Amino acid sequence: MSVDIAKVATVELVRELEKRIRCSEKKTETRTIFFGPPGAGKGTQAPRIKDEYCLCHLSTGDMLRDAVKSGSQMGLKAKAIMDAGKLVGDDVVVGIVAEAVKAPDCSKGFILDGFPRTVKQAEMLDEILKEQKVTINKVINLNIDDELLIKRVTGRLIHL
């Protein structure tokens, strides 16, 4: 995706450059997994933490959509499966995660939002990270009261 920077406000460009300079000077790397049920706040908290620590936020749903849109090898596999009305399997999901964690914007680390979801995915993630000679630094389980969770999730319902 290309952006015509002539159409971007100067103040936004300066903020982005300042952020990139700050992040390039950052020495530590952090790889974190956020666990929790839908509605616990993973997708709300991750972007806030991502910006503070110069990490990338990897949500499998977003990554699947982006991979399909980009036409990457894994994206094409995912598209064929989804077009057939099937669930995308572990191999494809983990392949998309593998592509994402190698991206330059993840050089300081990442937050995995709700991934891995299965033991098999966790084992496959371990293998990917082992190849890169890195490990997960933190796993954060977001606990939330059941009543609040139900309220949040049912508040997301869209009536057509």
Side-chain angles (χ1 to χ4, degrees), residues 69-123:
K69 188 187 292 185
S70 75
S72 72
Q73 182 180 358
M74 285 294 162
L76 294 173
K77 283 184 181 180
K79 181 175 180 0
I81 294 166
M82 290 186 290
D83 286 350
K86 298 179 181 173
L87 291 175
V88 179
D90 289 342
D91 291 342
V92 175
V93 173
V94 174
I96 290 170
V97 171
E99 287 176 353
V101 299
K102 293 175 187 172
D105 62 332
C106 291
S107 65
K108 298 294 180 181
F110 53 79
I111 299 170
L112 288 170
D113 175 347
F115 177 90
R117 294 183 188 268
T118 66
V119 172
K120 182 179 178 191
Q121 287 180 355
E123 291 168 348

Side-chain angles (χ1 to χ4, degrees), residues 124-141:
M124 294 168 80
L125 176 63
D126 281 346
E127 289 301 315
I128 291 164
L129 297 177
K130 193 183 297 182
E131 288 173 13
Q132 295 181 9
K133 297 178 176 54
V134 297
T135 60
I136 296 295
N137 305 92
K138 294 175 180 60
V139 177
I140 299 172
N141 185 19

Side-chain angles (χ1 to χ4, degrees), residues 149-159:
L149 185 62
I150 291 167
K151 190 176 192 178
R152 285 183 181 178
V153 172
T154 57
R156 291 182 179 179
L157 294 177
I158 298 172
H159 299 283

Side-chain angles (χ1 to χ4, degrees), residues 43-62:
T44 299
Q45 298 306 318
R48 295 173 182 172
I49 294 168
K50 158 190 105 81
D51 290 339
E52 178 68 25
Y53 294 96
C54 304
L55 307 172
C56 62
H57 172 208
L58 302 176
S59 167
T60 49
D62 293 343

